[in-house]
């Protein structure tokens, strides 16, 4: 009976509220029935995303400390996204000028992940950090309209490259595969949530209050970022001058003394008596030898201009880091090599090679190696006998690769200019994966040393055919 009485009282409260709305009563604001806003579907359904983030943290706590830390940072971004949604269900659409303030807590949490990754480039779990860092901008869907899903798909897809690297490098280590799965599940849950609730962009409350004020209230109560700082006060007017002493007459504007001027004018012709006489030998029309030294040339004018012109400050050249070639455990590191055409590495099948920021360098890998990665390199060449796994090129320019035996897969990402030489006898099974790259050519080398060059397509044509979009190569005719 007690449960029935409680249910009846709740129904009566809802009836009274509806009657007030029907009678033209005041519309609900962020302060009215504030707790009820947290029970709407737009908030409760996001709990599924937070739960997936909890799973990432749970698995990450059993992995190295940097993976555990970035898992917690990912969880924080989810919580800040939920706080933003609590603002959106209470407020009207945010004006563009206030949007940076409303999303600041979440934006700071996203930025912190990118900074953490950059500070830990030497970490063995750098691919874990990159997998989260590349996908985390997907939470920026709150700023995209009317098609946030297209933006999210692009951001989430950018992390697949690094997740595959983690799965390959740690396939024999427990926990890493499960962590990758949990990360993908979390971002898939986020994408599903946006599809169901905000497919055309953030859904605001048309009867809500001011977004900036509500954000300050919610973030303040939840320990978030404080309000935006108030603009600085304009400087006050200068103080008036002190009054003149008693009895003193105010001074008017001073007049120039002209008495000496009129005295000089009254001298008449005697005014020129003090001037020096110019003799004939000092006159250019009577002494032609003076004309050569009295002409002002353009060179003299330019010389004066150059002397007067201020010198531009010369920017200091960036500090050049020392070249490094070392083996740590099972990982070779070749970094900051410049102009070295004879880098030779005697590799083993269990080792990997990481090449970072090398310029105009040729690296010769003898023997069979597990994998090779080129990152931020320019005008480099790599010759390798054979690979067990993959050869990856990321953020590079003008790269040449030569595989003397076999390479199962070649990944080329964000690279401009890459020429890959594979042997026709052993390299026909090689798979090439390219993304955001240009000028990629594959050369098939014959036994006599000659080769046939083929390009990798860069342009595609997408058309709507039979109820769906179909993408095919775009061929230019003519």
């Amino acid at each position: 009976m007690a449960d029935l009485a409680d249910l009846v009282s709740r129904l009566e409260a809802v009836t009274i509220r509806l009657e007030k709305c029907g009678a033209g009563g005041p519309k609900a604001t962020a302060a009215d029935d504030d707790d009820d806003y947290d029970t709407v579907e737009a908030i409760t359904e996001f709990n599924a995303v937070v739960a997936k983030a909890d799973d990432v943290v749970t698995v990450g706590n059993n992995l190295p400390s940097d993976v555990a830390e970035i898992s917690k940072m990912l969880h924080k971004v989810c919580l800040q996204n939920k706080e933003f949604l609590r603002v959106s269900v209470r407020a009207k659409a945010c004006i563009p000028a206030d949007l940076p303030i409303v999303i600041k807590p979440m934006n700071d949490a996203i930025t912190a992940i990118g900074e953490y990754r950059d500070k830990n480039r030497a970490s063995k779990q750098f691919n874990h950090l990159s997998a989260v860092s590349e996908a985390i901008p997907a939470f920026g869907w709150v700023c995209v309209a009317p098609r946030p899903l297209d933006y999210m798909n692009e951001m989430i897809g950018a992390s697949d490259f690094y997740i595959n690297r983690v799965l390959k490098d740690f396939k024999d280590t427990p926990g890493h595969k499960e962590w990758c799965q949990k990360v993908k599940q979390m971002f898939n849950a986020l994408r599903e949530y946006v599809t169901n609730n905000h497919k055309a962009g953030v859904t605001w409350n048309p009867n809500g209050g001011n977004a900036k004020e509500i954000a300050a209230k919610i973030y303040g109560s939840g320990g978030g970022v404080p309000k935006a700082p108030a603009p600085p006060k304009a400087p006050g007017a200068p103080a008036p001058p002190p009054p003149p002493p008693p009895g003193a007459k105010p001074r008017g504007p001073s007049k120039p003394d002209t008495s000496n001027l009129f005295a000089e004018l009254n001298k008449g012709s005697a005014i020129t008596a003090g001037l020096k006489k110019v003799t004939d030998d000092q006159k250019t029309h009577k002494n032609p030898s003076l004309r050569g030294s009295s002409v002002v040339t353009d060179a003299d004018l330019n010389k004066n201009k150059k002397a007067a012109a201020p010198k531009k400050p010369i920017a200091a050249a960036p500090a050049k880091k020392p070249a490094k070639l070392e083996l740590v455990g099972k990982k070779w590191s070749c970094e900051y090599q410049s102009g070295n055409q004879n880098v030779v590495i005697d590799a083993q099948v269990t080792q990997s090679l990481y090449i970072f920021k090398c310029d105009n360098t040729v690296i010769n890998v003898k023997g069979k190696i597990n994998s090779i990665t080129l990152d931020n390199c320019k005008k480099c060449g790599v010759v390798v006998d054979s690979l067990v796994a993959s050869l990856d090129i990321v953020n590079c320019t003008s790269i040449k690769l030569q595989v003397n035996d076999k390479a199962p897969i070649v990944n080329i990402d964000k690279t401009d200019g890459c020429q890959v030489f594979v042997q026709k006898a052993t390299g026909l099974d090689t798979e090439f994966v390219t993304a955001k790259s240009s000028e990629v050519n594959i050369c098939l080398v014959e036994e006599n040393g000659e080769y046939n060059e083929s390009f990798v397509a860069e342009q595609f044509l997408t058309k709507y055919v039979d109820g769906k979009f179909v993408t095919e190569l775009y061929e230019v005719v003519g």
Side-chain angles (χ1 to χ4, degrees), residues 4-24:
L4 180 60
D6 180 61
L7 178 61
V8 171
S9 63
R10 291 174 62 186
L11 290 174
E12 289 177 351
V14 172
T15 303
I16 294 173
R17 194 178 308 159
L18 292 174
E19 288 175 351
K20 287 182 179 180
C21 294

PDB file of all heavy atoms in Angstrom, residues 4-24:
ATOM      1  N   LEU A   4       1.908   2.051  -3.479  1.00  0.00           N
ATOM      2  CA  LEU A   4       0.811   2.586  -4.276  1.00  0.00           C
ATOM      3  C   LEU A   4       0.572   4.059  -3.943  1.00  0.00           C
ATOM      4  O   LEU A   4       0.332   4.896  -4.836  1.00  0.00           O
ATOM      5  CB  LEU A   4      -0.457   1.750  -4.027  1.00  0.00           C
ATOM      6  CG  LEU A   4      -1.708   2.188  -4.807  1.00  0.00           C
ATOM      7  CD1 LEU A   4      -1.438   2.102  -6.315  1.00  0.00           C
ATOM      8  CD2 LEU A   4      -2.907   1.298  -4.435  1.00  0.00           C
ATOM      9  N   ALA A   5       0.625   4.395  -2.661  1.00  0.00           N
ATOM     10  CA  ALA A   5       0.410   5.784  -2.256  1.00  0.00           C
ATOM     11  C   ALA A   5       1.511   6.684  -2.816  1.00  0.00           C
ATOM     12  O   ALA A   5       1.244   7.816  -3.248  1.00  0.00           O
ATOM     13  CB  ALA A   5       0.375   5.882  -0.730  1.00  0.00           C
ATOM     14  N   ASP A   6       2.743   6.188  -2.813  1.00  0.00           N
ATOM     15  CA  ASP A   6       3.852   6.983  -3.357  1.00  0.00           C
ATOM     16  C   ASP A   6       3.676   7.205  -4.850  1.00  0.00           C
ATOM     17  O   ASP A   6       3.924   8.299  -5.371  1.00  0.00           O
ATOM     18  CB  ASP A   6       5.160   6.240  -3.084  1.00  0.00           C
ATOM     19  CG  ASP A   6       6.355   7.011  -3.619  1.00  0.00           C
ATOM     20  OD1 ASP A   6       6.565   8.154  -3.157  1.00  0.00           O
ATOM     21  OD2 ASP A   6       7.063   6.465  -4.483  1.00  0.00           O
ATOM     22  N   LEU A   7       3.219   6.160  -5.575  1.00  0.00           N
ATOM     23  CA  LEU A   7       3.002   6.288  -7.009  1.00  0.00           C
ATOM     24  C   LEU A   7       1.905   7.299  -7.310  1.00  0.00           C
ATOM     25  O   LEU A   7       2.025   8.128  -8.220  1.00  0.00           O
ATOM     26  CB  LEU A   7       2.649   4.906  -7.589  1.00  0.00           C
ATOM     27  CG  LEU A   7       2.343   4.871  -9.094  1.00  0.00           C
ATOM     28  CD1 LEU A   7       3.551   5.340  -9.890  1.00  0.00           C
ATOM     29  CD2 LEU A   7       1.953   3.458  -9.511  1.00  0.00           C
ATOM     30  N   VAL A   8       0.825   7.277  -6.507  1.00  0.00           N
ATOM     31  CA  VAL A   8      -0.279   8.223  -6.725  1.00  0.00           C
ATOM     32  C   VAL A   8       0.192   9.652  -6.500  1.00  0.00           C
ATOM     33  O   VAL A   8      -0.148  10.578  -7.262  1.00  0.00           O
ATOM     34  CB  VAL A   8      -1.462   7.872  -5.788  1.00  0.00           C
ATOM     35  CG1 VAL A   8      -2.521   8.978  -5.842  1.00  0.00           C
ATOM     36  CG2 VAL A   8      -2.076   6.539  -6.199  1.00  0.00           C
ATOM     37  N   SER A   9       0.985   9.875  -5.461  1.00  0.00           N
ATOM     38  CA  SER A   9       1.464  11.230  -5.178  1.00  0.00           C
ATOM     39  C   SER A   9       2.352  11.741  -6.302  1.00  0.00           C
ATOM     40  O   SER A   9       2.297  12.925  -6.675  1.00  0.00           O
ATOM     41  CB  SER A   9       2.217  11.248  -3.854  1.00  0.00           C
ATOM     42  OG  SER A   9       3.372  10.421  -3.930  1.00  0.00           O
ATOM     43  N   ARG A  10       3.167  10.867  -6.875  1.00  0.00           N
ATOM     44  CA  ARG A  10       4.023  11.293  -7.990  1.00  0.00           C
ATOM     45  C   ARG A  10       3.197  11.627  -9.218  1.00  0.00           C
ATOM     46  O   ARG A  10       3.481  12.606  -9.924  1.00  0.00           O
ATOM     47  CB  ARG A  10       5.037  10.195  -8.318  1.00  0.00           C
ATOM     48  CG  ARG A  10       6.098  10.001  -7.227  1.00  0.00           C
ATOM     49  CD  ARG A  10       6.984   8.808  -7.528  1.00  0.00           C
ATOM     50  NE  ARG A  10       7.705   8.999  -8.780  1.00  0.00           N
ATOM     51  CZ  ARG A  10       8.453   8.057  -9.340  1.00  0.00           C
ATOM     52  NH1 ARG A  10       8.547   6.859  -8.781  1.00  0.00           N
ATOM     53  NH2 ARG A  10       9.099   8.295 -10.466  1.00  0.00           N
ATOM     54  N   LEU A  11       2.151  10.849  -9.491  1.00  0.00           N
ATOM     55  CA  LEU A  11       1.277  11.149 -10.629  1.00  0.00           C
ATOM     56  C   LEU A  11       0.556  12.471 -10.442  1.00  0.00           C
ATOM     57  O   LEU A  11       0.361  13.237 -11.396  1.00  0.00           O
ATOM     58  CB  LEU A  11       0.270  10.010 -10.821  1.00  0.00           C
ATOM     59  CG  LEU A  11       0.840   8.675 -11.345  1.00  0.00           C
ATOM     60  CD1 LEU A  11      -0.235   7.597 -11.352  1.00  0.00           C
ATOM     61  CD2 LEU A  11       1.385   8.861 -12.752  1.00  0.00           C
ATOM     62  N   GLU A  12       0.139  12.765  -9.213  1.00  0.00           N
ATOM     63  CA  GLU A  12      -0.527  14.039  -8.956  1.00  0.00           C
ATOM     64  C   GLU A  12       0.426  15.207  -9.191  1.00  0.00           C
ATOM     65  O   GLU A  12       0.038  16.249  -9.739  1.00  0.00           O
ATOM     66  CB  GLU A  12      -1.039  14.063  -7.515  1.00  0.00           C
ATOM     67  CG  GLU A  12      -2.240  13.132  -7.269  1.00  0.00           C
ATOM     68  CD  GLU A  12      -2.661  13.134  -5.801  1.00  0.00           C
ATOM     69  OE1 GLU A  12      -1.905  13.713  -4.989  1.00  0.00           O
ATOM     70  OE2 GLU A  12      -3.718  12.576  -5.494  1.00  0.00           O
ATOM     71  N   ALA A  13       1.691  15.044  -8.815  1.00  0.00           N
ATOM     72  CA  ALA A  13       2.665  16.117  -9.025  1.00  0.00           C
ATOM     73  C   ALA A  13       2.888  16.371 -10.517  1.00  0.00           C
ATOM     74  O   ALA A  13       2.971  17.517 -10.962  1.00  0.00           O
ATOM     75  CB  ALA A  13       3.982  15.765  -8.343  1.00  0.00           C
ATOM     76  N   VAL A  14       2.949  15.287 -11.304  1.00  0.00           N
ATOM     77  CA  VAL A  14       3.118  15.444 -12.742  1.00  0.00           C
ATOM     78  C   VAL A  14       1.901  16.117 -13.361  1.00  0.00           C
ATOM     79  O   VAL A  14       2.005  16.990 -14.241  1.00  0.00           O
ATOM     80  CB  VAL A  14       3.374  14.069 -13.397  1.00  0.00           C
ATOM     81  CG1 VAL A  14       3.365  14.181 -14.914  1.00  0.00           C
ATOM     82  CG2 VAL A  14       4.700  13.494 -12.922  1.00  0.00           C
ATOM     83  N   THR A  15       0.681  15.753 -12.886  1.00  0.00           N
ATOM     84  CA  THR A  15      -0.551  16.356 -13.406  1.00  0.00           C
ATOM     85  C   THR A  15      -0.577  17.851 -13.132  1.00  0.00           C
ATOM     86  O   THR A  15      -0.934  18.666 -14.012  1.00  0.00           O
ATOM     87  CB  THR A  15      -1.779  15.677 -12.766  1.00  0.00           C
ATOM     88  OG1 THR A  15      -1.712  14.273 -13.021  1.00  0.00           O
ATOM     89  CG2 THR A  15      -3.054  16.247 -13.351  1.00  0.00           C
ATOM     90  N   ILE A  16      -0.192  18.249 -11.940  1.00  0.00           N
ATOM     91  CA  ILE A  16      -0.189  19.676 -11.599  1.00  0.00           C
ATOM     92  C   ILE A  16       0.796  20.433 -12.488  1.00  0.00           C
ATOM     93  O   ILE A  16       0.509  21.530 -12.981  1.00  0.00           O
ATOM     94  CB  ILE A  16       0.169  19.861 -10.106  1.00  0.00           C
ATOM     95  CG1 ILE A  16      -0.952  19.273  -9.228  1.00  0.00           C
ATOM     96  CG2 ILE A  16       0.389  21.331  -9.781  1.00  0.00           C
ATOM     97  CD1 ILE A  16      -0.612  19.248  -7.749  1.00  0.00           C
ATOM     98  N   ARG A  17       1.927  19.833 -12.741  1.00  0.00           N
ATOM     99  CA  ARG A  17       2.927  20.494 -13.578  1.00  0.00           C
ATOM    100  C   ARG A  17       2.428  20.659 -15.015  1.00  0.00           C
ATOM    101  O   ARG A  17       2.618  21.707 -15.644  1.00  0.00           O
ATOM    102  CB  ARG A  17       4.217  19.669 -13.561  1.00  0.00           C
ATOM    103  CG  ARG A  17       5.424  20.411 -14.118  1.00  0.00           C
ATOM    104  CD  ARG A  17       6.662  19.547 -14.027  1.00  0.00           C
ATOM    105  NE  ARG A  17       6.836  19.030 -12.679  1.00  0.00           N
ATOM    106  CZ  ARG A  17       7.562  17.968 -12.398  1.00  0.00           C
ATOM    107  NH1 ARG A  17       8.165  17.306 -13.356  1.00  0.00           N
ATOM    108  NH2 ARG A  17       7.696  17.556 -11.134  1.00  0.00           N
ATOM    109  N   LEU A  18       1.786  19.642 -15.558  1.00  0.00           N
ATOM    110  CA  LEU A  18       1.244  19.737 -16.907  1.00  0.00           C
ATOM    111  C   LEU A  18       0.138  20.764 -16.997  1.00  0.00           C
ATOM    112  O   LEU A  18      -0.005  21.484 -17.987  1.00  0.00           O
ATOM    113  CB  LEU A  18       0.726  18.357 -17.359  1.00  0.00           C
ATOM    114  CG  LEU A  18       1.793  17.281 -17.595  1.00  0.00           C
ATOM    115  CD1 LEU A  18       1.133  15.939 -17.889  1.00  0.00           C
ATOM    116  CD2 LEU A  18       2.699  17.677 -18.742  1.00  0.00           C
ATOM    117  N   GLU A  19      -0.700  20.851 -15.956  1.00  0.00           N
ATOM    118  CA  GLU A  19      -1.765  21.845 -15.960  1.00  0.00           C
ATOM    119  C   GLU A  19      -1.202  23.258 -15.969  1.00  0.00           C
ATOM    120  O   GLU A  19      -1.734  24.159 -16.613  1.00  0.00           O
ATOM    121  CB  GLU A  19      -2.660  21.642 -14.725  1.00  0.00           C
ATOM    122  CG  GLU A  19      -3.533  20.389 -14.824  1.00  0.00           C
ATOM    123  CD  GLU A  19      -4.312  20.155 -13.534  1.00  0.00           C
ATOM    124  OE1 GLU A  19      -4.025  20.869 -12.545  1.00  0.00           O
ATOM    125  OE2 GLU A  19      -5.186  19.269 -13.519  1.00  0.00           O
ATOM    126  N   LYS A  20      -0.101  23.467 -15.261  1.00  0.00           N
ATOM    127  CA  LYS A  20       0.512  24.793 -15.259  1.00  0.00           C
ATOM    128  C   LYS A  20       1.021  25.157 -16.655  1.00  0.00           C
ATOM    129  O   LYS A  20       0.854  26.286 -17.105  1.00  0.00           O
ATOM    130  CB  LYS A  20       1.675  24.842 -14.263  1.00  0.00           C
ATOM    131  CG  LYS A  20       1.238  24.862 -12.810  1.00  0.00           C
ATOM    132  CD  LYS A  20       2.455  24.959 -11.903  1.00  0.00           C
ATOM    133  CE  LYS A  20       2.038  25.018 -10.436  1.00  0.00           C
ATOM    134  NZ  LYS A  20       3.219  25.124  -9.532  1.00  0.00           N
ATOM    135  N   CYS A  21       1.634  24.189 -17.327  1.00  0.00           N
ATOM    136  CA  CYS A  21       2.116  24.457 -18.678  1.00  0.00           C
ATOM    137  C   CYS A  21       0.967  24.733 -19.633  1.00  0.00           C
ATOM    138  O   CYS A  21       1.033  25.618 -20.488  1.00  0.00           O
ATOM    139  CB  CYS A  21       2.945  23.272 -19.191  1.00  0.00           C
ATOM    140  SG  CYS A  21       4.483  23.034 -18.266  1.00  0.00           S
ATOM    141  N   GLY A  22      -0.131  23.997 -19.522  1.00  0.00           N
ATOM    142  CA  GLY A  22      -1.282  24.200 -20.382  1.00  0.00           C
ATOM    143  C   GLY A  22      -1.976  25.519 -20.119  1.00  0.00           C
ATOM    144  O   GLY A  22      -2.621  26.096 -20.991  1.00  0.00           O
ATOM    145  N   ALA A  23      -1.898  26.024 -18.899  1.00  0.00           N
ATOM    146  CA  ALA A  23      -2.556  27.283 -18.559  1.00  0.00           C
ATOM    147  C   ALA A  23      -1.684  28.480 -18.901  1.00  0.00           C
ATOM    148  O   ALA A  23      -2.010  29.612 -18.558  1.00  0.00           O
ATOM    149  CB  ALA A  23      -2.886  27.308 -17.069  1.00  0.00           C
ATOM    150  N   GLY A  24      -0.580  28.281 -19.599  1.00  0.00           N
ATOM    151  CA  GLY A  24       0.267  29.403 -19.988  1.00  0.00           C
ATOM    152  C   GLY A  24       1.149  29.882 -18.874  1.00  0.00           C
ATOM    153  O   GLY A  24       1.551  31.049 -18.832  1.00  0.00           O
TER     154      GLY A  24
END
